[in-house]
Structure formats: C-alpha cells, structure tokens
Amino acid sequence: MAIIHAVNGISPTVGERCFVAENAVVVGDVVIGDDCSIWYSAVLRGDVNSIRIGNRSNIQDGAVVHTTHEKSVAEIGDDVTVGHNAIIHGAKVGNNVLVGMGAILLDNAVIPDNTIVAAGAIVLGNTVLEPGVYAGAPAKKVKDSNARLVEMVRQNATDYLTYKDWFIKIEN
C-alpha cells in the first residue's frame, strides 16, 4: 500500500478513480484530483507547502513534486503528464502540459497550457514561459505550439487514463 500520511495535522486528499502505486509517497498538504495516477517511486511531499494536482493527470515513476517553505507552492493542472524522474519544485504547470522525463521545473516557474518541456530540460526559477516546446538547460523555446502538438499532449494524458485503469483492476 502507498505511503499516504499527514504532516503537521494536514492529510493528503486523493480524488476518485485514482491509482497510487504501492511504493509512491504522498504526504502532507497534497490534493489530487479525479482520475489521476501516481506511479511507482513517485514522491509528492507537501510537508512545507501545498501541492495541488488537477484531474486526469499522471505523475510517472520516480518523479518528485515538492515546494519551498513560505516561498513556493506546486500546482499541476488538468491532463498533465509528468514524465519519469522529472522534478517539479514549487512550479505552476497549466493544463494539457507534458513535462518530459528528467525535466526540472524550479520554484515559481510558470508553464502555460498546451506546452511541452522536453526530456532533461531545466526551467529556471521565476521563469514564465509562453506556449510551445522547450528544451535545453536552461530551457529555451524551440517550437511554437500548434493543434497537432496540443492533441499529442492530450492523447498522452488520455493513454495514462487507460493504464491506470489496468492497475486499478489489479488491485480489485
């Protein structure tokens, strides 16, 4: 069973029809929307400030979501994919966003709707992006957003709805 517990009297809230892997950690001031999936070895540590995750989002294996005390909160919108081993540290992520594997989003970075942050990219603290595709360290815009990109990101999140249902069936 996943590690889900209170910190300083604040307990996480997990929405309906969610999958939280057995070795995932969800602690403190964390609110997870409906139809989300939190995969193996992911850590959502709301011990020093709040973490909010919208509906139909997936936090993949080894990803870490954390904040900085009295400085930042982590907000992840609807239909977001956070790739394997990504780090979201006190950043705001809009709707229909893909955060690539191993990407790092630092305190108070703002990732708008319909954006891709490529694998391994680093979005520095206090950076406000425009919709598009970002790559590199520090992350730079390499492509504008378009209808095809928006649909690709949405489809990735939709695929994870299917995958989480496979695992919910295993648990039942």
Side-chain angles (χ1 to χ4, degrees):
M1 182 170 197
I3 299 169
I4 300 176
H5 65 77
V7 174
N8 292 326
I10 302 172
S11 297
T13 302
V14 178
E16 295 181 17
R17 299 172 306 279
C18 290
F19 168 72
V20 181
E22 301 88 67
N23 65 345
V25 177
V26 182
V27 297
D29 190 3
V30 178
V31 176
I32 300 169
D34 295 336
D35 295 303
C36 291
S37 54
I38 312 301
W39 294 91
Y40 298 93
S41 299
V43 176
L44 282 62
R45 212 176 99 208
D47 55 348
V48 298
N49 221 330
S50 64
I51 296 171
R52 299 294 180 262
I53 299 173
N55 299 313
R56 300 173 307 280
S57 291
N58 62 89
I59 311 299
Q60 295 177 8
D61 312 72
V64 174
V65 182
H66 195 236
T67 64
T68 298
H69 183 63
E70 297 181 353
K71 181 179 177 186
S72 66
V73 298
E75 297 176 11
I76 299 171
D78 297 335
D79 304 299
V80 172
T81 295
V82 177
H84 311 291
N85 293 314
I87 299 171
I88 296 179
H89 200 279
K92 181 178 180 178
V93 178
N95 300 314
N96 200 51
V97 170
L98 184 136
V99 178
M101 295 181 279
I104 300 172
L105 314 180
L106 296 174
D107 288 318
N108 299 306
V110 178
I111 314 305
D113 296 352
N114 304 315
T115 295
I116 293 175
V117 178
I122 300 174
V123 179
L124 300 176
N126 302 306
T127 301
V128 179
L129 303 182
E130 298 174 356
V133 179
Y134 291 81
K140 301 283 187 215
K141 189 174 187 180
V142 297
K143 187 174 184 178
D144 289 329
S145 187
N146 59 51
R148 189 175 140 274
L149 179 144
V150 169
E151 182 52 34
M152 182 189 76
V153 173
R154 188 173 321 284
Q155 186 59 52
N156 189 282
T158 299
D159 291 346
Y160 267 82
L161 292 174
T162 300
Y163 308 153
K164 74 133 176 105
D165 286 344
W166 294 346
F167 285 81
I168 288 173
K169 287 179 184 176
I170 292 170
E171 290 179 342
N172 295 327

